[in-house]
Amino acid sequence: MKFGVDLFDIEISLALGEEVTETLDSGAPARFYGYLLLRRPKGGDLTQKDFERNFLFDEIQYSPDAPAGPYGRVGQAIVSDPDELKLHRTMDDIVRFNEAGGA
């Protein structure tokens, strides 16, 4: 996503024995992306709507009633921003929000 390359499309093309025609853009990315594993908070209850009310996501999936996966994962989210430092701050805020149960 960061460099405009669809890795799933390339993987399928390679598996089918097709030649890959996409090239990497050598310029700086227009946006930076971050991926977060979401867990059930130790205190409080969160829903996907709670996350969506407080943050803007490119994608989010949060199912607190689902069985916990590796690292206690019950969801994941992708966030992006053209400013890398702002993206890091947003990710830190989401982690704190998740750990605190929205408090």
Side-chain angles (χ1 to χ4, degrees), residues 70-91:
Y71 305 103
R73 177 192 162 280
V74 292
Q76 67 272 339
I78 298 174
V79 292
S80 68
D81 198 283
D83 183 319
E84 189 175 11
L85 293 176
K86 186 175 176 191
L87 174 63
H88 282 281
R89 285 193 298 271
T90 300
M91 291 176 71

Side-chain angles (χ1 to χ4, degrees), residues 15-68:
L16 294 172
E18 298 173 353
E19 189 173 317
V20 177
T21 59
E22 293 187 49
T23 58
L24 289 176
D25 179 6
S26 61
R31 295 187 76 74
F32 294 92
Y33 291 86
Y35 183 82
L36 299 134
L37 297 179
L38 303 174
R39 301 182 295 185
R40 262 185 227 104
K42 290 184 176 141
D45 294 319
L46 286 176
T47 66
Q48 184 165 318
K49 292 285 184 204
D50 293 326
F51 283 98
E52 292 170 338
R53 271 193 295 275
N54 289 279
F55 304 98
L56 293 175
F57 295 93
D58 290 82
E59 293 179 26
I60 182 170
Q61 183 277 319
Y62 182 74
S63 303
D65 298 329

Side-chain angles (χ1 to χ4, degrees), residues 1-18:
M1 291 175 75
K2 185 174 180 179
F3 291 99
V5 176
D6 185 342
L7 293 177
F8 292 115
D9 186 49
I10 289 174
E11 181 178 16
I12 291 168
S13 295
L14 289 173
L16 294 172
E18 298 173 353

